Amino acid sequence: ILFVSDAQPTDCEREVWNQVNAVLQESESILSGLQAYKGAGQEIRDAIQNPNDMLLQERAWNSVCPLVIRLKKFYAFSLKLEEALKSLLESLTCPPYTPTQHLEREQALAKQFAEILHFTLRFDELKMRIPAIQNDFSYYRRTISRNRLNNMNLDIENEVNNEMANRMSLFYAEATPMLKTLSTATTNFVTENKTLPLENTTDCLSTMASVCKVMLETPEYTSRFNSEDTLLFCMRVMVGVIILYDHVHPNGAFNKSSKIDMKGCIKVLKDQPADNVEGLLNALKFTTKHLNDESTPKNIRTMLQ
């Protein structure tokens, strides 16, 4: 089964596969770091309510600093993911092969592309549920600027200087920061590679979407999935490629001329238990670009309401 089986890289895939594999190796620890993120809400509230109690100020600051270092690590990982995605796109779209030929010839790279999307949607689903991230970070920034005035010695600024803090702020302000990173990376890939026909990229994405959709709606396939995780994997990958397609294709994924059967894709998601797909339907609502265009058929908009 495409994307789900463990394809071994061929010799011509090996170099890119190794580069991407190094990034993917780190992804599980990034997710468990995010899952374990508890935030410093209580310490921050205590400090704000008792502005003259220096002990409480210090406790809040000492709670927030390690969290900010962790948030920097997540942000730095998004940059590595971006590079990995670009390498995969280069390999999976280059002439003379069609997208289908690429996906068949380079199954190990196609699987890695799918794994990147799977990670991305899991990261963003978790992040959506942790409002503490932005609260902690804005407290950190307020405290830094206040203490700059007091000339406090702030070692953490060696780790997270002002420019880095600005970039992190923009990243975490997004509802789905990792997807946004990948959407931007895919858009940049297309604009930077002017000689590469746009269809090479969009067809690669739409082909992946239909492969996932067919697997999800065909009992012969789903009965061979060894766990619910495989089902979730397919759904996340499908939603991921739809979102990338919607950002890269000038007309987006939702209109009638789109090569992605959006009605079928949404239906497949809606047929799953609501808890499993809430985050994915939200990603389609809030991270796509063209859903609210005039050209989006009403029935599709209704399905996503």
Side-chain angles (χ1 to χ4, degrees):
I1 305 179
L2 209 54
F3 313 143
V4 180
S5 51
D6 280 322
Q8 291 310 305
T10 57
D11 288 346
C12 63
E13 294 172 276
R14 174 95 42 209
E15 193 183 332
V16 172
W17 190 89
N18 285 341
Q19 177 213 335
V20 176
N21 190 45
V23 177
L24 284 169
Q25 293 285 309
E26 207 186 319
S27 65
E28 282 307 318
S29 78
I30 294 287
L31 281 175
S32 48
L34 181 61
Q35 232 152 359
Y37 193 98
K38 288 291 173 274
Q42 192 55 54
E43 292 89 339
I44 290 173
R45 277 192 298 279
D46 293 344
I48 291 172
Q49 281 160 8
N50 305 281
N52 299 324
D53 185 330
M54 288 331 279
L55 205 68
L56 289 177
Q57 305 308 309
E58 209 158 298
R59 185 184 297 162
W61 180 245
N62 291 338
S63 303
V64 162
C65 283
L67 293 173
V68 168
I69 301 291
R70 194 187 305 183
L71 292 177
K72 179 193 172 185
K73 190 180 161 198
F74 300 158
Y75 169 70
F77 186 73
S78 76
L79 304 179
K80 293 182 199 172
L81 210 58
E82 194 176 341
E83 287 310 307
L85 181 82
K86 279 188 179 164
S87 302
L88 289 173
L89 282 172
E90 263 165 34
S91 302
L92 292 170
T93 58
C94 60
Y97 302 109
T98 65
T100 314
Q101 287 170 327
H102 268 301
L103 296 175
E104 281 167 2
R105 287 170 56 91
E106 292 136 274
Q107 289 195 16
L109 296 186
K111 172 85 195 286
Q112 285 185 320
F113 192 13
E115 283 174 339
I116 284 181
L117 292 168
H118 182 230
F119 161 81
T120 298
L121 279 126
R122 283 162 75 202
F123 183 96
D124 287 346
E125 278 169 30
L126 281 171
K127 186 263 176 187
M128 276 180 167
R129 296 188 194 133
I130 312 178
I133 289 179
Q134 277 168 283
N135 299 339
D136 294 348
F137 199 66
S138 55
Y139 176 79
Y140 167 77
R141 300 210 70 181
R142 286 198 308 273
T143 310
I144 283 267
S145 52
R146 197 167 60 234
N147 291 342
R148 267 205 206 98
L149 302 175
N150 308 341
N151 293 327
M152 251 177 74
N153 176 23
L154 301 168
D155 293 335
I156 189 165
E157 287 217 79
N158 304 330
E159 288 264 1
V160 182
N161 62 20
N162 201 32
E163 187 196 348
M164 171 60 83
N166 285 336
R167 291 207 300 264
M168 286 168 65
S169 265
L170 290 171
F171 178 74
Y172 287 111
E174 294 290 342
T176 51
M178 287 286 175
L179 262 174
K180 176 73 172 138
T181 301
L182 295 193
S183 303
T184 308
T186 310
T187 309
N188 292 344
F189 170 79
V190 168
T191 38
E192 284 158 18
N193 291 283
K194 297 231 185 318
T195 54
L196 185 75
L198 175 68
E199 294 75 61
N200 287 32
T201 306
T202 51
D203 287 356
C204 169
L205 298 169
S206 58
T207 305
M208 284 179 77
S210 45
V211 168
C212 290
K213 180 178 88 69
V214 168
M215 287 203 291
L216 287 163
E217 65 190 8
T218 312
E220 288 120 79
Y221 284 121
T222 44
S223 63
R224 282 160 59 193
F225 288 173
N226 48 12
S227 69
E228 189 185 51
D229 289 349
T230 315
L231 203 66
L232 285 166
F233 180 86
C234 268
M235 292 194 291
R236 289 188 180 117
V237 174
M238 181 179 78
V239 168
V241 285
I242 288 170
I243 288 168
L244 296 187
Y245 181 100
D246 192 54
H247 277 264
V248 172
H249 198 289
N251 306 328
F254 294 97
N255 69 4
K256 287 195 171 74
S257 65
S258 161
K259 286 196 176 172
I260 297 178
D261 166 19
M262 283 307 301
K263 209 163 122 188
C265 290
I266 297 168
K267 185 182 177 309
V268 163
L269 293 174
K270 290 268 180 120
D271 287 344
Q272 303 298 324
D275 287 357
N276 287 352
V277 293
E278 187 193 4
L280 296 174
L281 292 168
N282 281 339
L284 286 177
K285 279 184 224 172
F286 304 124
T287 313
T288 45
K289 194 175 169 184
H290 294 278
L291 174 62
N292 295 317
D293 288 6
E294 290 287 297
S295 58
T296 300
K298 278 218 169 57
N299 60 346
I300 289 183
R301 233 176 294 181
T302 313
M303 284 176 90
L304 279 176
Q305 266 163 10

